[in-house]
Amino acid sequence: MKGTAMLRSSRVRPYAITGGRTIARMPLLLETLVSVPDYDLMVHQMLVAESRDIYALCRSVQSIAEISAALDMPLGVVRVLVSDLADDGRLRIHPTAVHAGVPEHMLLERVLRGLQTIKH
Amino acid sequence: MVSRPSSTELSPTAISTKIVIAGGFGAGKTTFVRSISEIEPVTTEALMTEASQDFDDLAATPEKITTTVAMDFGRVSLDQELALYLFGTPGQDRFWFLWDDLIRGALGAVVLADPRRLADCFPAVEYFENVPEAPFIVALNCFDGILPFELDDVRAALAIGPEVPLLTCDARDTASAVYTLTELVRYAMNFAGPPALV
Ligand SMILES: Nc1nc2c(ncn2[C@@H]2O[C@H](COP(=O)(O)OP(=O)(O)O)[C@@H](O)[C@H]2O)c(=O)[nH]1
Ligand SMILES: [Mg+2]
């Protein structure tokens, strides 16, 4: 039945099937951080130009927005390339605070504490 | 810009969150972000496509026209494991879809208003009133300390409820920008669930 098929496909969509495992796909928000867990020069040389630039940049932790700005790449392109690199295990997508399961009240307290440390 | 010794490198296990700085063109959004950011505010571009019929003179090219929309942002490492990003909204009202992207996952928003051109912030206020999951406050950026109205009159003009914090700020001043964000976060706490029992 068409309705059931649509339901099922929408339930599966947020997951990527990689190497027999189903990995919950993190949403790529503007502030989502990504990093390279184990930088490998061989991988670097194997990648196509734009992905290679992202891979090299993310040796230090970067947000989606920072990648876009640093490489002068539209956000949409960054999102696609980052997802592909993450699917291949080249990049790690960090959860954002909302998705890391930090209770909201604790997060807000932590933000308040952090703001108080800003020197002026 | 605020320089902090441990700011450049985030931990490999760091997580992030964000606050949106909204308001009309020239309200001081970029200035506000710069006052707090440990990096020089950077501009990034979102690519969008528009139907080609809006561009009659380009009718010879049947492909869609792509337009880039600039928005700027800054970053503060609140601790080694938590980065706070501040995103300024793009000026043009017709890019509302980008606001949806900006606000997704945000702790809340500060609507900056230039008291001399109060009406410029109406679209932003209206937008956030329709996004109940993102609390917002209104901060009047008092260019050169001039506030030509009483705050109550401003509240009436903005038609915001008595619960919405309304304050004045100086977007150029770090302490004032920090205070403004603090007020937003305190206000957001009213919407968060009760503190965990730990
Ligand atoms: N005198 C004064 N100028 C300001 C203040 N805030 C912003 N400006 C100036 O107003 C102009 C617009 O500010 P900007 O941050 O670019 O506004 P945006 O369009 O909202 O990003 C810039 O030239 C700022 O230097 C303020 O509090 N006092
Ligand atoms: Mg600006």
Side-chain angles (χ1 to χ4, degrees):
Chain A
M1 215 176 77
K2 203 179 170 207
T4 319
M6 280 174 68
L7 262 181
R8 182 170 306 146
S9 75
S10 69
R11 205 179 300 139
V12 169
R13 204 177 301 132
Y15 298 92
I17 317 290
T18 312
R21 288 181 307 140
T22 305
I23 301 166
R25 170 72 67 76
M26 302 284 185
L28 294 175
L29 304 184
L30 295 167
E31 70 277 21
T32 296
L33 298 173
V34 296
S35 59
V36 174
D38 322 284
Y39 182 77
D40 182 342
L41 201 56
M42 299 284 281
V43 169
H44 180 266
Q45 278 158 0
M46 195 188 79
L47 294 169
V48 296
E50 289 84 359
S51 302
R52 177 185 293 180
D53 292 344
I54 293 177
Y55 186 70
L57 184 67
C58 294
R59 279 178 288 179
S60 67
V61 183
Q62 305 284 330
S63 64
I64 296 292
E66 281 168 302
I67 297 170
S68 166
L71 301 179
D72 203 12
M73 224 182 256
L75 284 167
V77 176
V78 172
R79 284 187 165 121
V80 169
L81 297 178
V82 164
S83 307
D84 288 352
L85 284 164
D87 284 349
D88 293 341
R90 313 297 191 205
L91 277 187
R92 191 172 91 77
I93 299 173
H94 302 216
T96 59
V98 207
H99 296 99
V102 182
E104 200 178 353
H105 222 279
M106 282 174 72
L107 172 64
L108 293 170
E109 293 278 4
R110 195 166 151 192
V111 171
L112 274 187
R113 274 199 305 278
L115 286 173
Q116 278 152 17
T117 67
I118 296 177
K119 290 201 190 64
H120 36 80
Chain B
M1 214 170 89
V2 184
S3 72
R4 317 180 77 199
S6 60
S7 67
T8 34
E9 285 282 312
L10 283 166
S11 138
T13 53
I15 60 174
S16 55
T17 190
K18 81 179 151 199
I19 288 174
V20 172
I21 311 299
F25 181 77
K29 300 180 295 293
T30 304
T31 307
F32 187 99
V33 171
R34 177 173 290 116
S35 294
I36 292 210
S37 182
E38 62 201 15
I39 57 172
E40 175 63 22
V42 275
T43 300
T44 189
E45 290 183 340
L47 201 66
M48 64 171 293
T49 53
E50 290 182 304
S52 53
Q53 63 261 27
D54 295 334
F55 299 85
D56 289 339
D57 50 333
L58 296 172
T61 19
E63 309 91 71
K64 287 180 194 147
I65 310 295
T66 57
T67 313
T68 55
V69 189
M71 53 188 168
D72 45 22
F73 67 93
R75 187 185 82 193
V76 196
S77 309
L78 293 179
D79 57 55
Q80 277 178 337
E81 298 284 333
L82 180 63
L84 170 68
Y85 286 87
L86 299 175
F87 282 91
T89 53
Q92 309 90 323
D93 294 348
R94 60 200 181 97
F95 301 125
W96 289 117
F97 68 96
L98 256 186
W99 287 51
D100 297 344
D101 204 7
L102 281 173
I103 203 70
R104 202 150 65 98
L107 293 178
V110 174
V111 175
L112 274 185
D114 176 346
R116 300 165 302 184
R117 293 175 295 142
L118 206 53
D120 289 1
C121 81
F122 290 177
V125 169
E126 219 159 279
Y127 177 88
F128 289 110
E129 278 178 334
N130 291 304
V131 186
E133 59 275 22
F136 74 98
I137 66 170
V138 179
L140 299 167
N141 183 26
C142 293
F143 287 77
D144 306 318
I146 300 158
L147 181 62
F149 317 103
E150 296 291 329
L151 272 184
D152 283 347
D153 295 339
V154 174
R155 186 180 292 280
L158 293 174
I160 49 174
E163 73 288 355
V164 177
L166 172 66
L167 52 142
T168 59
C169 77
D170 183 336
R172 299 162 301 177
D173 180 48
T174 303
S176 176
V178 168
Y179 176 75
T180 304
L181 292 183
T182 303
E183 285 298 292
L184 170 66
V185 175
R186 290 221 173 92
Y187 179 57
M189 281 175 166
N190 300 324
F191 297 84
L197 298 171
V198 280

